[in-house]
């Protein structure tokens, strides 16, 4: 009996050694990346693609996981990736996550399994839930670049993050509304929030709250409208049936300000005058709304990130170190700017 057990035990050990060897052979990347022996922490160090140190853009096959197509900003961001890929001569595989987190994770896994893809670019719908797929991507020798939306995950799991300082956009928004509401006794502000799990919504909200007390702003209503004009119109309509005591609206993106503007007009209020409106993005449509006088201020969030992202991907492919975050440079635009007509001409989105 004892002998039989010993025999069974040794067979199990042999089978498990064979399975482990077989499993790691299957997981080994197909000559797209160089992964050197494990350092003391046990994490493999990524040193670039097989073509390093002379990789060209034509060596890159980028799998891009876009959030969806929720408005003008997103359309410009998508166009930036498609057009720049053509200009640089790299192959782009585009995946539309349709604003569905489960779909985005499935798309990520598809790119990990795709032997052609050597770079994965992620515009994350949620800040959390990424560690497992990021680890899998790393184990499979894929370069991961986070664009637009930051995530909460260990920095050694991705090459770099390229995107806006959303908290700063929130702080700028509060400071601009302080100027617009100067001298008013009531400073009741309604906040139209983006997709609540996203870094853009979380950080803009947090930055706004950091600065609003400086001039006595109070957020009297706050609700998600998921970056959508249609939803924000409905939310604002519902609020207006409860009260009209509102001095300003902080829309976390331009699209949501458009919905709020319509709702205010239909309720007989003059947007931009009776109720000040500030939004984030600075798309062409927001400039149009400022020219019409219904939007007061738009805080810029730059969607044209592809040139920086692809450049970073090439550097990572060649084994270069990258900073953990490359913030975009962004401004603020005002409805009463005499140069508005000129600025709008240079706006491509
Ligand atoms: O992450 C950037 C935000 O996402 C933009 O402000 C919004 O319009 C978009 O959908």
């Amino acid at each position: 009996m004892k002998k039989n057990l010993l025999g069974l035990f040794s067979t199990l050990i042999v089978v498990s050694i064979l399975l482990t060897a077989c499993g790691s052979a299957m997981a080994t990347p197909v000559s797209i990346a160089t992964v050197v022996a494990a350092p003391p922490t046990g994490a493999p160090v990524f040193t670039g693609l097989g073509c390093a140190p002379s990789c060209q853009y034509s060596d890159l096959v980028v799998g891009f996981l876009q959030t969806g197509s929720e408005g003008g900003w997103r359309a410009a961001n998508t166009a930036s990736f498609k057009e720049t890929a053509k200009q640089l001569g790299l192959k782009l595989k585009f995946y539309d996550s349709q604003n569905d987190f489960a779909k985005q994770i499935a798309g990520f896994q598809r790119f990990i399994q795709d032997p052609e893809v050597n770079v994965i670019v992620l515009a994350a719908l949620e800040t959390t839930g990424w560690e497992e797929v990021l680890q899998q991507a790393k184990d499979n020798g894929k370069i991961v670049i986070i664009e637009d939306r930051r995530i909460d995950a260990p920095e050694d799991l991705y090459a770099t993050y390229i995107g806006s300082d959303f908290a700063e956009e929130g702080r700028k928004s509060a400071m601009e509304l302080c100027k617009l509401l100067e001298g008013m006794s009531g400073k009741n502000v309604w906040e139209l929030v983006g997709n609540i799990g996203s870094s853009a919504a979380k950080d803009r909200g947090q930055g706004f709250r950091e600065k609003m007390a400086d001039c006595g702003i109070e957020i009297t209503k706050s609700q998600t409208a998921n970056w959508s004009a249609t939803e924000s119109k409905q939310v604002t309509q519902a609020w207006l049936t409860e009260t009209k005591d509102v001095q300003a609206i902080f829309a976390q993106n331009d699209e949501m300000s458009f919905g709020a503007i319509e709702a205010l007009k239909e309720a007989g209020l003059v947007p931009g005058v009776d109720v000040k409106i500030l939004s984030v993005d600075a798309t062409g449509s927001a400039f149009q709304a400022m020219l019409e006088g219904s939007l007061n201020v738009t805080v810029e969030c730059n969607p044209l990130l592809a040139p920086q992202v692809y450049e970073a991907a090439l550097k990572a492919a060649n084994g270069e170190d990258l900073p953990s975050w490359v913030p975009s440079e962004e401004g603020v635009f005002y409805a009463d700017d005499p140069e508005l007509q000129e600025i709008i001409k240079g706006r491509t989105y």
Side-chain angles (χ1 to χ4, degrees):
M1 176 71 172
K2 213 173 174 184
K3 207 173 161 193
N4 282 350
L5 275 177
L6 268 176
L8 181 65
F9 187 59
S10 17
T11 314
L12 280 174
I13 290 178
V14 171
V15 170
S16 102
I17 290 172
L18 283 174
L19 280 177
T20 312
C22 194
S24 43
M26 276 155 54
T28 302
V30 216
S31 79
I32 57 164
T34 318
V35 179
V36 299
T41 59
V45 170
F46 189 78
T47 58
L49 300 182
C51 49
S54 349
C55 298
Q56 307 290 312
Y57 281 117
S58 54
D59 293 311
L60 304 184
V61 180
V62 176
F64 175 33
L65 295 145
Q66 182 56 289
T67 57
S69 51
E70 61 268 20
W73 190 99
R74 194 56 57 188
N77 184 247
T78 295
S80 170
F81 276 87
K82 291 187 174 169
E83 284 159 18
T84 314
K86 270 191 205 143
Q87 285 157 14
L88 297 176
L90 61 83
K91 182 163 179 182
L92 178 68
K93 295 193 178 188
F94 182 81
Y95 181 88
D96 179 356
S97 311
Q98 295 166 42
N99 282 298
D100 180 331
F101 184 57
K103 285 197 175 109
Q104 193 164 50
I105 293 282
F108 203 121
Q109 275 156 345
R110 191 195 289 181
F111 284 148
I112 293 173
Q113 299 309 322
D114 185 335
E116 221 194 344
V117 168
N118 47 24
V119 177
I120 299 175
V121 176
L122 170 68
L125 282 166
E126 304 277 334
T127 49
T128 55
W130 292 106
E131 283 196 34
E132 203 178 318
V133 280
L134 286 173
Q135 189 60 56
Q136 285 167 13
K138 187 171 181 176
D139 293 344
N140 282 274
K142 313 276 181 181
I143 294 166
V144 176
I145 298 201
I146 311 299
E147 81 105 19
D148 166 30
R149 307 253 179 98
R150 69 160 185 86
I151 56 169
D152 292 327
E155 284 171 8
D156 67 325
L157 292 181
Y158 56 90
T160 186
Y161 160 53
I162 293 174
S164 308
D165 186 339
F166 295 129
E168 184 57 20
E169 290 170 356
R171 286 188 283 270
K172 281 181 197 165
S173 302
M175 290 187 292
E176 293 302 333
L177 274 188
C178 277
K179 288 185 212 161
L180 285 169
L181 297 178
E182 205 180 332
M184 289 192 186
S185 50
K187 291 180 184 180
N188 296 340
V189 172
W190 293 352
E191 180 188 40
L192 289 158
V193 181
N195 183 297
I196 43 175
S198 69
S199 57
K202 287 182 184 178
D203 297 354
R204 282 175 190 163
Q206 178 221 307
F208 190 87
R209 281 161 182 76
E210 281 170 27
K211 283 280 161 200
M212 67 182 196
D214 290 3
C215 70
I217 284 176
E218 245 188 276
I219 296 180
T220 51
K221 292 194 182 295
S222 175
Q223 194 178 314
T224 184
N226 291 308
W227 308 118
S228 139
T230 316
E231 278 187 54
S232 77
K233 184 174 176 182
Q234 289 160 358
V235 170
T236 313
Q237 276 172 333
W239 286 341
L240 285 166
T241 60
E242 292 164 25
T243 177
K244 292 203 171 52
D245 185 9
V246 54
Q247 284 71 51
I249 291 183
F250 166 41
Q252 288 191 352
N253 80 342
D254 289 344
E255 300 296 323
M256 294 190 290
S257 76
F258 306 148
I261 286 168
E262 274 190 42
L264 289 167
K265 281 182 183 165
E266 285 175 19
L269 294 164
V270 183
V273 179
D274 295 335
V275 182
K276 306 288 182 197
I277 319 259
L278 176 144
S279 63
V280 184
D281 276 352
T283 55
S285 314
F287 279 84
Q288 214 48 57
M290 286 200 294
L291 285 172
E292 286 158 19
S294 48
L295 180 69
N296 302 87
V297 174
T298 184
V299 171
E300 189 176 32
C301 177
N302 181 11
L304 308 178
L305 300 173
Q308 279 173 286
V309 169
Y310 291 146
E311 192 189 344
L314 186 61
K315 285 185 177 165
N318 281 318
E320 281 182 47
D321 268 347
L322 296 168
S324 56
W325 177 23
V326 183
S328 345
E329 280 187 16
E330 292 164 346
V332 177
F333 302 94
Y334 307 90
D336 57 5
D337 187 337
E339 305 288 312
L340 214 56
Q341 287 281 11
E342 277 310 300
I343 303 172
I344 205 171
K345 279 187 203 153
R347 213 75 192 157
T348 53
Y349 53 91

